[in-house]
């Protein structure tokens, strides 16, 4: 999942776990966190491009800052700066939205909000 995020934006762990990797992959910073109590193999979240502020083996709490969005993501597959957030079990990719609480996901249908400074259509 690609999330719009400017370089320098804090990146937070979505759930409690242990940092299983913090380093460069193909020239981009990556942080992976194995989530506590999620079975075998454990669920693992990935974040990239990230300038890590944690090291391998660090225990993290939900919402703890694990780094910042790195500018190395510019020119990637996103149209603008972004953070790629992934979820895996073993080598199988899953939908990371499964980690979010239902109240956040079931807030009703999406709504389009007015753009400031743009008059509504006649």
């Amino acid at each position: 999942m690609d999330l719009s995020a400017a370089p320098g934006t804090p990146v937070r762990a979505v759930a409690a776990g242990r940092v299983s990797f913090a380093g460069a992959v193909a020239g981009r910073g990556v942080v992976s966190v194995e989530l506590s109590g999620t079975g075998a193999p454990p669920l693992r979240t990935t974040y990239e491009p990230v300038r890590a502020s944690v090291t391998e083996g660090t225990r993290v709490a939900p919402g703890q800052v694990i780094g910042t969005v790195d500018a190395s993501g510019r020119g990637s597959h996103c149209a603008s700066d972004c953070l790629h957030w992934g979820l895996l079990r073993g080598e199988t990719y899953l939908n990371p939205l499964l980690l979010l609480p239902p109240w956040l996901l079931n807030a009703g249908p999406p709504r389009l909000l007015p753009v400031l400074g743009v008059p509504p259509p006649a």
Side-chain angles (χ1 to χ4, degrees), residues 47-63:
Y47 310 83
E48 100 45 43
V50 174
R51 180 167 299 195
S53 60
V54 292
T55 57
E56 190 172 322
T58 303
R59 291 241 166 241
V60 296

Side-chain angles (χ1 to χ4, degrees), residues 27-43:
R28 292 196 177 136
V30 175
V31 174
S32 293
V33 178
E34 286 185 0
L35 305 184
S36 301
T38 58
L43 290 174

Side-chain angles (χ1 to χ4, degrees), residues 7-111:
T9 301
V11 176
R12 299 177 183 276
V14 71
R18 182 187 60 82
V19 176
S20 58
F21 180 82
V25 174
R28 292 196 177 136
V30 175
V31 174
S32 293
V33 178
E34 286 185 0
L35 305 184
S36 301
T38 58
L43 290 174
R44 185 173 77 246
T45 55
T46 58
Y47 310 83
E48 100 45 43
V50 174
R51 180 167 299 195
S53 60
V54 292
T55 57
E56 190 172 322
T58 303
R59 291 241 166 241
V60 296
Q64 181 177 334
V65 173
I66 58 174
T68 57
V69 175
D70 189 52
S72 66
R74 288 188 176 152
S76 69
H77 60 279
C78 294
S80 62
D81 294 315
C82 71
L83 171 75
H84 181 79
W85 174 40
L87 175 66
L88 298 100
R89 182 176 300 279
E91 299 301 315
T92 303
Y93 281 90
L94 304 170
N95 181 353
L97 293 177
L98 296 171
L99 297 173
L100 298 180
W103 63 265
L104 186 60
L105 298 174
N106 299 324
R111 297 180 303 157

